[in-house]
Amino acid sequence: MISINAAQEIVLKHTTQIDSESVPLLEAIGRIIAVDMRAPHDLPLSNNSAMDGYALALRPGQEQWNVVDFIPAGLLRTAPVCQGDTVKIMTGAPVPAGCDTVVPIEDITEDGGVIRLNRSIKRGSNIRKQGEDILKGNLLIKSGHPVRPQEIGLLASFGWSTLPVYRKPRIAILATGDELLEIGSIPSPGKIINSNSYSLAAQLIQAGGEPVLIGIAADTRKATRDKIVEGLQADGLIISGGASVGDRDFVRETILELQGELQFSKVNMKPGKPATFATIGSKPVFALPGNPVAAMVCFEMFVRPAILKMLGYSQLMRPTVKAVLSGQVLNSGERPHLVSVRVAPEGDSYKASTITNQSSANLASLTAGNGLLRLEPHSLLLADSVVEITLLDPDLGTGDIHYGTL
Ligand SMILES: Nc1nc2c(c(=O)[nH]1)N[C@H]1C(S)=C(S)[C@@H](COP(=O)(O)OP(=O)(O)OC[C@H]3O[C@@H](n4cnc5c(N)ncnc54)[C@H](O)[C@@H]3O)O[C@H]1N2
Ligand code: MOO
């Protein structure tokens, strides 16, 4: 049995960055840029007016100017403006040759096509110089940078309508077990709804991947093999259930039959001890425990960092915060326990409260929480201890909910 850290290192060692694709500008939001993007030209492209006003040449002794033209935004005047003349100009319009200053409309008086200044102004005022924001060839966005609304705007301002981004890894998601029913069915004693495929698919979408739901494999060798082979058409595979030591747990032996290599098959953690990671050819295969909390926690610990690495991120782990425990918590077990906690800001700090029912089957422990606390084996943390919490929702957005009898 290996440690969580060692297991993460093995997963990342066997994960490679995915290829890139070109997508329409708006579809790039939240994706990762796959090449260094450099400015194809200066920005602004030419000297232009920062104000609605009058463009002119300021010369000592000059007190009035004749208005000879009007340049709205979008129009270019090619003819130079003569000394003593001025052109009315709108914000953003190119400043014509012969002018060195723009006087805002509020600061002049016009009478019969002649303007005078109401106050003195510095030469050069209100002109945005060519290239003053960005010079041709400047690095705009480095490869590996996430695309946010501001990157969309910056790249749009150079006219790009498509962007090169890393492709979303397509990951097949397979549930195993005769007890499983698809959503839309009515559960009955002995049967349960396959929720893992959906929680894992949702985690995958949030991490930037594209789930391919391939359904449920019955507890037979053949069904397990057929579904795993189907899943291997994707970039990787996540299987839930059948990872433990039960009589009908066929996942590991099928991986070996398919010439897969088991990289680890037990991790020193709770929940999630049976977490298994294998490679079949170059494809990563995660065989996660069936218990719903264990499956999701294992995704957090092993699959999410792998997806982020495939996508070209440099920061693969979640942020953490220091928080003050609201009550004592005990881990009397042999394995590090990843406990669901609810973190909320309190004063200048954060308060962390643990969720009462930490059963590996109880998904409500995760919906009531927004972070994970690692409790070392045989440890007791007293109320008011300062602990480090991994934030699952960096915006801390979880309602105050109570479920069940515990
Ligand atoms: N003798 C032992 N028994 C078990 C051990 C062990 O070490 N020795 N480990 C336990 C732990 S820890 C876990 S976790 C589970 C993992 O078992 P499997 O991965 O083989 O999963 P299953 O047995 O198929 O299912 C476990 C549990 O989860 C429910 N489940 C399964 N798939 C889904 C799904 N798609 N959606 C919702 N719920 C699902 C299933 O009904 C079971 O209740 O093994 C322990 N046993
Ligand atoms: O560790 Mo299992 O993964 O507790 O439920």
Side-chain angles (χ1 to χ4, degrees):
M1 197 150 56
I2 60 170
S3 70
I4 298 175
N5 281 358
Q8 285 172 328
E9 276 174 26
I10 292 173
V11 167
L12 293 176
K13 197 176 102 194
H14 288 92
T15 307
T16 46
Q17 207 163 353
I18 202 129
D19 46 325
S20 63
E21 62 181 351
S22 173
V23 298
L25 185 64
L26 274 182
E27 284 176 29
I29 188 74
R31 310 275 297 266
I32 301 292
I33 286 285
V35 296
D36 288 350
M37 302 294 284
R38 291 188 178 276
H41 55 72
D42 292 345
L43 210 68
L45 202 49
S46 60
N47 293 352
N48 69 82
S49 176
M51 292 284 199
D52 296 333
Y54 289 84
L56 44 79
L58 270 186
R59 294 289 175 269
Q62 183 87 43
E63 287 181 354
Q64 58 179 54
W65 290 262
N66 300 316
V67 183
V68 295
D69 202 356
F70 170 59
I71 315 178
L75 215 80
L76 175 71
R77 178 188 156 106
T78 47
V81 174
C82 302
Q83 178 63 36
D85 286 348
T86 182
V87 292
K88 193 171 188 182
I89 191 165
M90 297 293 104
T91 305
V95 174
C99 300
D100 57 22
T101 306
V102 171
V103 188
I105 234 156
E106 304 86 316
D107 295 347
I108 61 99
T109 309
E110 189 191 354
D111 187 13
V114 173
I115 64 161
R116 290 173 163 275
L117 306 191
N118 297 340
R119 62 178 73 180
S120 63
I121 186 166
K122 227 175 111 200
R123 182 182 295 168
S125 296
N126 302 316
I127 294 182
R128 293 193 288 228
K129 288 274 189 311
Q130 175 176 344
E132 79 173 25
D133 296 339
I134 294 166
L135 286 171
K136 180 178 175 176
N138 278 170
L139 183 62
L140 299 172
I141 298 168
K142 223 174 145 34
S143 167
H145 196 287
V147 181
R148 302 166 298 168
Q150 50 269 54
E151 277 77 31
I152 294 278
L154 181 62
L155 297 169
S157 67
F158 286 96
W160 274 297
S161 59
T162 58
L163 295 181
V165 291
Y166 289 111
R167 188 166 62 74
K168 290 184 179 198
R170 296 180 75 245
I171 307 292
I173 297 186
L174 172 65
T176 65
D178 284 339
E179 76 278 28
L180 298 179
L181 300 172
E182 258 314 342
I183 51 170
S185 319
I186 314 257
S188 54
K191 298 279 184 190
I192 59 157
I193 307 277
N194 165 25
S195 61
N196 285 351
S197 290
Y198 298 93
S199 50
L200 294 167
Q203 286 181 296
L204 179 65
I205 291 169
Q206 269 200 343
E210 188 181 311
V212 184
L213 278 87
I214 58 170
I216 299 168
D219 281 330
T220 65
R221 273 195 181 80
K222 179 168 184 332
T224 308
R225 186 189 168 104
D226 288 352
K227 282 290 187 185
I228 291 181
V229 168
E230 182 185 343
L232 288 172
Q233 286 169 20
D235 297 310
L237 174 61
I238 306 173
I239 306 166
S240 73
S244 186
V245 290
D247 294 347
R248 294 182 164 190
D249 291 344
F250 297 122
V251 169
R252 275 186 221 144
E253 63 178 71
T254 307
I255 290 172
L256 294 174
E257 260 175 51
L258 293 169
Q259 315 302 317
E261 285 180 38
L262 286 175
Q263 306 296 345
F264 59 80
S265 56
K266 254 192 199 131
V267 182
N268 188 20
M269 66 192 285
K270 181 185 170 178
K273 186 174 83 171
T276 297
F277 175 67
T279 44
I280 303 183
S282 60
K283 307 271 171 91
V285 177
F286 298 88
L288 308 184
N291 271 326
V293 174
M296 290 194 76
V297 169
C298 287
F299 184 102
E300 255 316 301
M301 293 295 135
F302 309 120
V303 188
R304 184 176 180 276
I307 299 296
L308 295 192
K309 184 171 177 194
M310 284 174 153
L311 280 167
Y313 279 85
S314 44
Q315 179 55 45
L316 305 182
M317 299 301 165
R318 295 272 197 193
T320 59
V321 284
K322 294 252 190 291
V324 179
L325 264 184
S326 64
Q328 73 172 40
V329 272
L330 170 72
N331 178 9
S332 53
E334 304 285 331
R335 292 176 273 154
H337 192 175
L338 299 169
V339 174
S340 175
V341 294
R342 177 171 160 67
V343 195
E346 195 177 73
D348 296 340
S349 169
Y350 289 96
K351 188 186 79 177
S353 344
T354 55
I355 313 298
T356 321
N357 178 356
Q358 295 283 340
S359 153
S360 178
N362 178 32
L363 264 188
S365 68
L366 292 180
T367 58
N370 54 9
L372 290 177
L373 164 64
R374 179 184 163 127
L375 278 179
E376 295 307 327
H378 304 293
S379 67
L380 171 69
L381 291 176
L382 297 173
D384 295 330
S385 317
V386 176
V387 291
E388 191 167 4
I389 308 289
T390 299
L391 289 180
L392 300 181
D393 307 305
D395 61 358
L396 303 179
T398 304
D400 215 353
I401 315 172
H402 184 79
Y403 303 89
T405 51
L406 288 178

Short mmCIF file of all heavy atoms in Angstrom, two decimals, residues 175-205:
data_model
loop_
_atom_site.label_atom_id
_atom_site.label_comp_id
_atom_site.label_asym_id
_atom_site.label_seq_id
_atom_site.Cartn_x
_atom_site.Cartn_y
_atom_site.Cartn_z
N ALA A 175 -19.31 2.35 -15.07
CA ALA A 175 -19.70 1.87 -13.75
C ALA A 175 -19.79 0.35 -13.84
O ALA A 175 -20.12 -0.19 -14.90
CB ALA A 175 -21.05 2.46 -13.36
N THR A 176 -19.48 -0.33 -12.72
CA THR A 176 -19.59 -1.80 -12.75
C THR A 176 -20.49 -2.25 -11.61
O THR A 176 -20.47 -1.67 -10.53
CB THR A 176 -18.21 -2.47 -12.57
OG1 THR A 176 -17.72 -2.15 -11.26
CG2 THR A 176 -17.21 -2.01 -13.61
N GLY A 177 -21.24 -3.26 -11.85
CA GLY A 177 -22.03 -3.86 -10.77
C GLY A 177 -23.44 -4.24 -11.20
O GLY A 177 -24.14 -3.45 -11.82
N ASP A 178 -23.83 -5.50 -10.85
CA ASP A 178 -25.18 -5.97 -11.17
C ASP A 178 -26.26 -5.23 -10.40
O ASP A 178 -27.43 -5.27 -10.77
CB ASP A 178 -25.29 -7.47 -10.81
CG ASP A 178 -24.59 -8.34 -11.83
OD1 ASP A 178 -24.39 -7.86 -12.97
OD2 ASP A 178 -24.22 -9.47 -11.49
N GLU A 179 -25.83 -4.55 -9.30
CA GLU A 179 -26.85 -3.88 -8.48
C GLU A 179 -27.26 -2.53 -9.06
O GLU A 179 -28.16 -1.88 -8.54
CB GLU A 179 -26.32 -3.70 -7.04
CG GLU A 179 -25.29 -2.59 -6.81
CD GLU A 179 -23.85 -2.98 -7.15
OE1 GLU A 179 -23.64 -3.85 -8.03
OE2 GLU A 179 -22.93 -2.40 -6.56
N LEU A 180 -26.60 -2.13 -10.14
CA LEU A 180 -26.80 -0.75 -10.60
C LEU A 180 -27.94 -0.60 -11.60
O LEU A 180 -28.13 -1.43 -12.50
CB LEU A 180 -25.51 -0.23 -11.24
CG LEU A 180 -24.31 -0.17 -10.29
CD1 LEU A 180 -23.08 0.33 -11.05
CD2 LEU A 180 -24.59 0.71 -9.09
N LEU A 181 -28.68 0.48 -11.44
CA LEU A 181 -29.73 0.86 -12.37
C LEU A 181 -29.36 2.22 -12.95
O LEU A 181 -28.69 3.01 -12.28
CB LEU A 181 -31.07 1.02 -11.63
CG LEU A 181 -31.62 -0.21 -10.91
CD1 LEU A 181 -32.84 0.20 -10.07
CD2 LEU A 181 -32.02 -1.28 -11.93
N GLU A 182 -29.84 2.50 -14.14
CA GLU A 182 -29.56 3.82 -14.72
C GLU A 182 -30.48 4.88 -14.12
O GLU A 182 -31.56 4.55 -13.60
CB GLU A 182 -29.68 3.77 -16.25
CG GLU A 182 -28.36 3.71 -16.98
CD GLU A 182 -27.27 4.70 -16.49
OE1 GLU A 182 -27.59 5.70 -15.81
OE2 GLU A 182 -26.10 4.46 -16.77
N ILE A 183 -30.05 6.13 -14.18
CA ILE A 183 -30.91 7.22 -13.70
C ILE A 183 -32.21 7.18 -14.51
O ILE A 183 -32.22 6.78 -15.67
CB ILE A 183 -30.24 8.61 -13.79
CG1 ILE A 183 -29.66 8.88 -15.19
CG2 ILE A 183 -29.17 8.78 -12.75
CD1 ILE A 183 -29.22 10.31 -15.39
N GLY A 184 -33.28 7.57 -13.83
CA GLY A 184 -34.60 7.47 -14.47
C GLY A 184 -35.32 6.21 -14.02
O GLY A 184 -36.53 6.09 -14.19
N SER A 185 -34.57 5.24 -13.39
CA SER A 185 -35.21 4.02 -12.89
C SER A 185 -35.66 4.26 -11.45
O SER A 185 -35.20 5.19 -10.79
CB SER A 185 -34.23 2.85 -12.87
OG SER A 185 -33.43 2.85 -14.01
N ILE A 186 -36.51 3.34 -10.96
CA ILE A 186 -36.95 3.42 -9.56
C ILE A 186 -36.11 2.41 -8.78
O ILE A 186 -36.13 1.22 -9.10
CB ILE A 186 -38.44 3.03 -9.42
CG1 ILE A 186 -39.27 3.73 -10.50
CG2 ILE A 186 -38.94 3.21 -7.99
CD1 ILE A 186 -40.06 4.90 -10.08
N PRO A 187 -35.35 2.86 -7.75
CA PRO A 187 -34.55 1.90 -6.99
C PRO A 187 -35.43 0.97 -6.15
O PRO A 187 -36.51 1.34 -5.76
CB PRO A 187 -33.68 2.79 -6.10
CG PRO A 187 -34.35 4.11 -6.06
CD PRO A 187 -35.22 4.23 -7.26
N SER A 188 -34.92 -0.24 -5.91
CA SER A 188 -35.65 -1.19 -5.08
C SER A 188 -34.61 -1.86 -4.19
O SER A 188 -33.41 -1.74 -4.46
CB SER A 188 -36.32 -2.23 -5.99
OG SER A 188 -35.34 -2.79 -6.83
N PRO A 189 -35.04 -2.57 -3.11
CA PRO A 189 -34.03 -3.19 -2.23
C PRO A 189 -33.10 -4.07 -3.05
O PRO A 189 -33.54 -4.83 -3.90
CB PRO A 189 -34.89 -4.02 -1.27
CG PRO A 189 -36.22 -3.32 -1.24
CD PRO A 189 -36.42 -2.76 -2.62
N GLY A 190 -31.81 -3.91 -2.81
CA GLY A 190 -30.82 -4.68 -3.55
C GLY A 190 -30.32 -3.97 -4.80
O GLY A 190 -29.29 -4.31 -5.34
N LYS A 191 -31.07 -3.01 -5.26
CA LYS A 191 -30.66 -2.26 -6.46
C LYS A 191 -30.41 -0.81 -6.07
O LYS A 191 -31.15 -0.26 -5.24
CB LYS A 191 -31.77 -2.29 -7.52
CG LYS A 191 -32.11 -3.67 -8.03
CD LYS A 191 -31.11 -4.10 -9.08
CE LYS A 191 -31.48 -5.45 -9.67
NZ LYS A 191 -30.42 -5.98 -10.52
N ILE A 192 -29.42 -0.20 -6.68
CA ILE A 192 -29.20 1.23 -6.44
C ILE A 192 -28.94 1.92 -7.78
O ILE A 192 -28.58 1.27 -8.76
CB ILE A 192 -28.01 1.50 -5.49
CG1 ILE A 192 -26.74 0.90 -6.07
CG2 ILE A 192 -28.25 1.01 -4.09
CD1 ILE A 192 -25.51 1.55 -5.54
N ILE A 193 -29.14 3.23 -7.76
CA ILE A 193 -28.94 3.99 -8.99
C ILE A 193 -27.44 4.23 -9.19
O ILE A 193 -26.74 4.53 -8.23
CB ILE A 193 -29.67 5.35 -8.92
CG1 ILE A 193 -31.16 5.15 -8.55
CG2 ILE A 193 -29.50 6.13 -10.21
CD1 ILE A 193 -32.08 4.80 -9.66
N ASN A 194 -27.00 4.14 -10.41
CA ASN A 194 -25.62 4.47 -10.75
C ASN A 194 -25.43 5.98 -10.65
O ASN A 194 -25.73 6.71 -11.59
CB ASN A 194 -25.32 3.98 -12.17
CG ASN A 194 -24.04 4.60 -12.73
OD1 ASN A 194 -23.15 5.01 -11.98
ND2 ASN A 194 -23.97 4.66 -14.05
N SER A 195 -24.97 6.43 -9.50
CA SER A 195 -24.71 7.88 -9.36
C SER A 195 -23.25 8.19 -9.66
O SER A 195 -22.92 9.30 -10.09
CB SER A 195 -25.06 8.36 -7.95
OG SER A 195 -24.28 7.68 -7.00
N ASN A 196 -22.36 7.20 -9.48
CA ASN A 196 -20.93 7.48 -9.66
C ASN A 196 -20.60 8.01 -11.05
O ASN A 196 -19.79 8.93 -11.19
CB ASN A 196 -20.10 6.21 -9.43
CG ASN A 196 -19.97 5.86 -7.96
OD1 ASN A 196 -20.37 6.65 -7.11
ND2 ASN A 196 -19.44 4.70 -7.66
N SER A 197 -21.23 7.42 -12.07
CA SER A 197 -20.89 7.87 -13.43
C SER A 197 -21.16 9.36 -13.57
O SER A 197 -20.44 10.06 -14.28
CB SER A 197 -21.71 7.11 -14.47
OG SER A 197 -21.27 5.77 -14.52
N TYR A 198 -22.20 9.83 -12.88
CA TYR A 198 -22.58 11.24 -13.04
C TYR A 198 -21.73 12.15 -12.16
O TYR A 198 -21.33 13.24 -12.59
CB TYR A 198 -24.09 11.39 -12.78
CG TYR A 198 -24.83 10.58 -13.81
CD1 TYR A 198 -25.20 9.26 -13.55
CD2 TYR A 198 -25.01 11.08 -15.10
CE1 TYR A 198 -25.78 8.48 -14.54
CE2 TYR A 198 -25.59 10.30 -16.09
CZ TYR A 198 -25.97 9.00 -15.80
OH TYR A 198 -26.52 8.24 -16.79
N SER A 199 -21.44 11.71 -10.92
CA SER A 199 -20.58 12.58 -10.09
C SER A 199 -19.19 12.67 -10.73
O SER A 199 -18.60 13.76 -10.81
CB SER A 199 -20.50 12.08 -8.64
OG SER A 199 -20.19 10.71 -8.60
N LEU A 200 -18.69 11.53 -11.24
CA LEU A 200 -17.35 11.55 -11.85
C LEU A 200 -17.34 12.36 -13.15
O LEU A 200 -16.40 13.11 -13.42
CB LEU A 200 -16.87 10.11 -12.11
CG LEU A 200 -16.63 9.28 -10.84
CD1 LEU A 200 -16.47 7.80 -11.18
CD2 LEU A 200 -15.40 9.80 -10.07
N ALA A 201 -18.41 12.22 -13.94
CA ALA A 201 -18.49 12.99 -15.19
C ALA A 201 -18.53 14.49 -14.86
O ALA A 201 -17.90 15.30 -15.55
CB ALA A 201 -19.73 12.58 -15.99
N ALA A 202 -19.27 14.83 -13.80
CA ALA A 202 -19.37 16.25 -13.43
C ALA A 202 -18.01 16.77 -12.95
O ALA A 202 -17.59 17.88 -13.31
CB ALA A 202 -20.42 16.43 -12.34
N GLN A 203 -17.30 15.96 -12.17
CA GLN A 203 -15.96 16.38 -11.74
C GLN A 203 -15.04 16.55 -12.94
O GLN A 203 -14.23 17.49 -13.00
CB GLN A 203 -15.36 15.33 -10.79
CG GLN A 203 -15.99 15.34 -9.40
CD GLN A 203 -15.35 14.29 -8.50
OE1 GLN A 203 -15.45 13.10 -8.77
NE2 GLN A 203 -14.66 14.71 -7.47
N LEU A 204 -15.19 15.64 -13.90
CA LEU A 204 -14.34 15.71 -15.10
C LEU A 204 -14.62 16.99 -15.89
O LEU A 204 -13.69 17.67 -16.34
CB LEU A 204 -14.59 14.46 -15.96
CG LEU A 204 -13.80 14.37 -17.25
CD1 LEU A 204 -12.31 14.25 -16.97
CD2 LEU A 204 -14.27 13.19 -18.09
N ILE A 205 -15.90 17.31 -16.04
CA ILE A 205 -16.26 18.53 -16.78
C ILE A 205 -15.65 19.74 -16.08
O ILE A 205 -15.05 20.61 -16.70
CB ILE A 205 -17.80 18.67 -16.90
CG1 ILE A 205 -18.35 17.59 -17.82
CG2 ILE A 205 -18.18 20.07 -17.42
CD1 ILE A 205 -19.87 17.46 -17.81
#
